[in-house]
């Protein structure tokens, strides 16, 4: 009960002044919220996290990812397709071999910042 009381405004709180831009700046549009949620959903799976970690420093072919993750090619391909759909990874074909890498530096930054946050004490 004590914690619930700490999260409420005081009885005499009048909130933010009407017409203030402060509250409109605090609101994210629906499409952006959905896209952000999809990105974090993608990062919410341990297998996909392992894939992203493996791709942090270098591009890898599907076979190499199968070896690193100790997974079947069909399972790796399924996860890579998901990660491509949310623009976390991209692919490059060289002959019959398909190489995967992180889509851009933003993905690497998000991932490494999150790792640093986890290891911060």
């Amino acid at each position: 009960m004590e914690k619930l009381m700490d999260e409420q405004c005081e009885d005499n709180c009048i909130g933010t002044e009407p017409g203030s831009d402060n509250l409109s700046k605090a609101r994210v549009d629906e499409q952006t919220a959905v896209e952000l949620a999809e990105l974090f959903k993608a990062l919410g799976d341990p297998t996909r996290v392992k894939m992203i970690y493996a791709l942090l420093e270098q591009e890898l072919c599907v076979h190499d990812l199968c070896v690193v993750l100790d997974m079947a090619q069909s399972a790796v391909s399924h996860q890579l397709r998901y990660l491509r759909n949310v623009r976390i990874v991209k692919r490059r074909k060289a002959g019959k071999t398909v190489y995967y890498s992180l889509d851009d530096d933003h993905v690497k930054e998000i991932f490494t910042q999150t790792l640093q946050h986890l290891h911060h004490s």
Side-chain angles (χ1 to χ4, degrees):
M1 184 67 174
E2 178 76 25
K3 188 160 183 92
L4 182 61
M5 295 300 288
D6 289 343
E7 295 174 1
Q8 296 178 359
C9 287
E10 302 221 2
D11 289 338
N12 60 354
C13 176
I14 59 169
T16 304
E17 291 183 29
S20 172
D21 285 338
N22 291 341
L23 292 181
S24 62
K25 290 177 185 175
R27 184 177 297 130
V28 66
D29 67 88
E30 187 65 25
Q31 184 61 35
T32 301
V34 167
E35 291 174 10
L36 275 169
E38 282 297 317
L39 175 66
F40 285 111
K41 179 179 166 186
L43 297 173
D45 180 84
T47 298
R48 292 191 289 261
V49 167
K50 291 174 186 177
M51 284 183 164
I52 295 166
Y53 189 87
L55 295 170
L56 276 177
E57 298 301 325
Q58 62 184 339
E59 68 177 8
L60 296 170
C61 68
V62 174
H63 173 74
D64 289 343
L65 283 166
C66 291
V67 171
V68 168
L69 300 168
D70 192 26
M71 292 175 60
Q73 183 175 342
S74 60
V76 168
S77 294
H78 173 77
Q79 295 297 341
L80 286 168
R81 187 170 27 261
Y82 181 90
L83 291 173
R84 255 189 17 252
N85 288 340
V86 293
R87 297 179 25 224
I88 291 177
V89 300
K90 62 184 176 186
R91 66 182 179 174
R92 175 182 70 84
K93 267 190 119 171
K96 293 184 177 184
T97 305
V98 180
Y99 293 93
Y100 286 86
S101 61
L102 298 181
D103 190 74
D104 60 27
D105 286 337
H106 295 114
V107 174
K108 186 174 183 175
E109 288 176 34
I110 290 166
F111 198 82
T112 55
Q113 287 288 323
T114 304
L115 279 172
Q116 289 174 359
H117 175 72
L118 289 174
H119 295 125
H120 178 75
S121 50

